[in-house]
PDB file of all heavy atoms in Angstrom:
ATOM      1  N   SER Q  62     105.430 143.484 128.393  1.00 96.00           N
ATOM      2  CA  SER Q  62     105.783 144.871 128.511  1.00 96.00           C
ATOM      3  C   SER Q  62     104.963 145.688 127.500  1.00 96.00           C
ATOM      4  O   SER Q  62     104.603 146.827 127.796  1.00 96.00           O
ATOM      5  CB  SER Q  62     107.269 145.063 128.280  1.00 96.00           C
ATOM      6  OG  SER Q  62     107.671 144.710 126.977  1.00 96.00           O
ATOM      7  N   SER Q  63     104.695 145.061 126.347  1.00 96.00           N
ATOM      8  CA  SER Q  63     103.744 145.820 125.407  1.00 96.00           C
ATOM      9  C   SER Q  63     103.035 144.790 124.525  1.00 96.00           C
ATOM     10  O   SER Q  63     103.540 143.675 124.309  1.00 96.00           O
ATOM     11  CB  SER Q  63     104.488 146.821 124.583  1.00 96.00           C
ATOM     12  OG  SER Q  63     105.473 146.158 123.769  1.00 96.00           O
ATOM     13  N   ALA Q  64     101.884 145.144 124.000  1.00 98.00           N
ATOM     14  CA  ALA Q  64     101.129 144.311 123.060  1.00 98.00           C
ATOM     15  C   ALA Q  64     100.631 145.245 122.002  1.00 98.00           C
ATOM     16  O   ALA Q  64      99.801 146.101 122.327  1.00 98.00           O
ATOM     17  CB  ALA Q  64      99.953 143.589 123.827  1.00 98.00           C
ATOM     18  N   ILE Q  65     101.188 145.125 120.825  1.00 98.00           N
ATOM     19  CA  ILE Q  65     100.821 146.032 119.790  1.00 98.00           C
ATOM     20  C   ILE Q  65     100.180 145.378 118.568  1.00 98.00           C
ATOM     21  O   ILE Q  65     100.431 144.230 118.287  1.00 98.00           O
ATOM     22  CB  ILE Q  65     102.163 146.840 119.292  1.00 98.00           C
ATOM     23  CG1 ILE Q  65     103.157 145.856 118.777  1.00 98.00           C
ATOM     24  CG2 ILE Q  65     102.646 147.633 120.460  1.00 98.00           C
ATOM     25  CD1 ILE Q  65     104.227 146.536 117.868  1.00 98.00           C
ATOM     26  N   PRO Q  66      99.365 146.159 117.841  1.00 98.00           N
ATOM     27  CA  PRO Q  66      98.736 145.594 116.605  1.00 98.00           C
ATOM     28  C   PRO Q  66      99.821 145.612 115.519  1.00 98.00           C
ATOM     29  O   PRO Q  66     100.621 146.527 115.383  1.00 98.00           O
ATOM     30  CB  PRO Q  66      97.667 146.613 116.265  1.00 98.00           C
ATOM     31  CG  PRO Q  66      98.001 147.825 116.944  1.00 98.00           C
ATOM     32  CD  PRO Q  66      98.830 147.491 118.177  1.00 98.00           C
ATOM     33  N   ILE Q  67      99.877 144.505 114.759  1.00 98.00           N
ATOM     34  CA  ILE Q  67     100.888 144.348 113.687  1.00 98.00           C
ATOM     35  C   ILE Q  67     100.205 144.526 112.321  1.00 98.00           C
ATOM     36  O   ILE Q  67      99.340 143.778 111.980  1.00 98.00           O
ATOM     37  CB  ILE Q  67     101.661 142.999 113.742  1.00 98.00           C
ATOM     38  CG1 ILE Q  67     102.313 142.830 115.148  1.00 98.00           C
ATOM     39  CG2 ILE Q  67     102.634 142.769 112.619  1.00 98.00           C
ATOM     40  CD1 ILE Q  67     103.519 143.652 115.383  1.00 98.00           C
ATOM     41  N   ARG Q  68     100.659 145.579 111.602  1.00 97.00           N
ATOM     42  CA  ARG Q  68     100.119 145.748 110.250  1.00 97.00           C
ATOM     43  C   ARG Q  68     101.236 145.817 109.168  1.00 97.00           C
ATOM     44  O   ARG Q  68     100.876 145.896 107.968  1.00 97.00           O
ATOM     45  CB  ARG Q  68      99.251 146.997 110.206  1.00 97.00           C
ATOM     46  CG  ARG Q  68      98.075 146.935 111.105  1.00 97.00           C
ATOM     47  CD  ARG Q  68      97.071 147.989 110.873  1.00 97.00           C
ATOM     48  NE  ARG Q  68      95.867 147.791 111.726  1.00 97.00           N
ATOM     49  CZ  ARG Q  68      95.700 148.311 112.894  1.00 97.00           C
ATOM     50  NH1 ARG Q  68      96.655 149.144 113.443  1.00 97.00           N
ATOM     51  NH2 ARG Q  68      94.652 148.093 113.616  1.00 97.00           N
ATOM     52  N   LYS Q  69     102.440 145.963 109.614  1.00 97.00           N
ATOM     53  CA  LYS Q  69     103.520 146.136 108.646  1.00 97.00           C
ATOM     54  C   LYS Q  69     104.719 145.189 108.994  1.00 97.00           C
ATOM     55  O   LYS Q  69     104.936 144.859 110.176  1.00 97.00           O
ATOM     56  CB  LYS Q  69     104.084 147.546 108.730  1.00 97.00           C
ATOM     57  CG  LYS Q  69     103.139 148.616 108.372  1.00 97.00           C
ATOM     58  CD  LYS Q  69     103.826 149.921 108.157  1.00 97.00           C
ATOM     59  CE  LYS Q  69     102.921 150.897 107.607  1.00 97.00           C
ATOM     60  NZ  LYS Q  69     102.735 152.067 108.467  1.00 97.00           N
ATOM     61  N   ALA Q  70     105.414 144.754 107.886  1.00 97.00           N
ATOM     62  CA  ALA Q  70     106.478 143.794 108.106  1.00 97.00           C
ATOM     63  C   ALA Q  70     107.556 144.326 109.127  1.00 97.00           C
ATOM     64  O   ALA Q  70     108.022 143.593 109.961  1.00 97.00           O
ATOM     65  CB  ALA Q  70     107.142 143.548 106.786  1.00 97.00           C
ATOM     66  N   GLU Q  71     107.894 145.612 109.082  1.00 98.00           N
ATOM     67  CA  GLU Q  71     108.931 146.099 109.917  1.00 98.00           C
ATOM     68  C   GLU Q  71     108.546 145.907 111.441  1.00 98.00           C
ATOM     69  O   GLU Q  71     109.442 145.702 112.288  1.00 98.00           O
ATOM     70  CB  GLU Q  71     109.178 147.612 109.808  1.00 98.00           C
ATOM     71  CG  GLU Q  71     109.387 148.154 108.387  1.00 98.00           C
ATOM     72  CD  GLU Q  71     108.065 148.403 107.705  1.00 98.00           C
ATOM     73  OE1 GLU Q  71     107.418 149.491 107.925  1.00 98.00           O
ATOM     74  OE2 GLU Q  71     107.606 147.499 106.917  1.00 98.00           O
ATOM     75  N   GLN Q  72     107.289 145.933 111.714  1.00 98.00           N
ATOM     76  CA  GLN Q  72     106.882 145.808 113.100  1.00 98.00           C
ATOM     77  C   GLN Q  72     107.185 144.405 113.692  1.00 98.00           C
ATOM     78  O   GLN Q  72     107.354 144.308 114.872  1.00 98.00           O
ATOM     79  CB  GLN Q  72     105.360 146.123 113.237  1.00 98.00           C
ATOM     80  CG  GLN Q  72     104.947 147.478 112.956  1.00 98.00           C
ATOM     81  CD  GLN Q  72     103.498 147.660 112.927  1.00 98.00           C
ATOM     82  OE1 GLN Q  72     102.788 146.951 112.202  1.00 98.00           O
ATOM     83  NE2 GLN Q  72     103.002 148.681 113.649  1.00 98.00           N
ATOM     84  N   LEU Q  73     107.212 143.455 112.786  1.00 98.00           N
ATOM     85  CA  LEU Q  73     107.492 142.087 113.203  1.00 98.00           C
ATOM     86  C   LEU Q  73     108.903 141.965 113.851  1.00 98.00           C
ATOM     87  O   LEU Q  73     109.121 141.121 114.655  1.00 98.00           O
ATOM     88  CB  LEU Q  73     107.420 141.073 112.044  1.00 98.00           C
ATOM     89  CG  LEU Q  73     105.991 140.667 111.571  1.00 98.00           C
ATOM     90  CD1 LEU Q  73     106.133 139.785 110.405  1.00 98.00           C
ATOM     91  CD2 LEU Q  73     105.340 139.859 112.720  1.00 98.00           C
ATOM     92  N   GLU Q  74     109.798 142.879 113.356  1.00 97.00           N
ATOM     93  CA  GLU Q  74     111.145 142.849 113.850  1.00 97.00           C
ATOM     94  C   GLU Q  74     111.286 143.423 115.293  1.00 97.00           C
ATOM     95  O   GLU Q  74     112.296 143.206 115.965  1.00 97.00           O
ATOM     96  CB  GLU Q  74     112.058 143.609 112.946  1.00 97.00           C
ATOM     97  CG  GLU Q  74     112.356 142.842 111.654  1.00 97.00           C
ATOM     98  CD  GLU Q  74     112.776 143.762 110.517  1.00 97.00           C
ATOM     99  OE1 GLU Q  74     113.386 144.795 110.785  1.00 97.00           O
ATOM    100  OE2 GLU Q  74     112.426 143.386 109.355  1.00 97.00           O
TER     101      GLU Q  74
END
Side-chain angles (χ1 to χ4, degrees):
S62 62
S63 61
I65 60 163
I67 300 290
R68 297 194 176 90
K69 294 196 176 118
E71 310 85 82
Q72 294 173 308
L73 282 176
E74 287 157 29

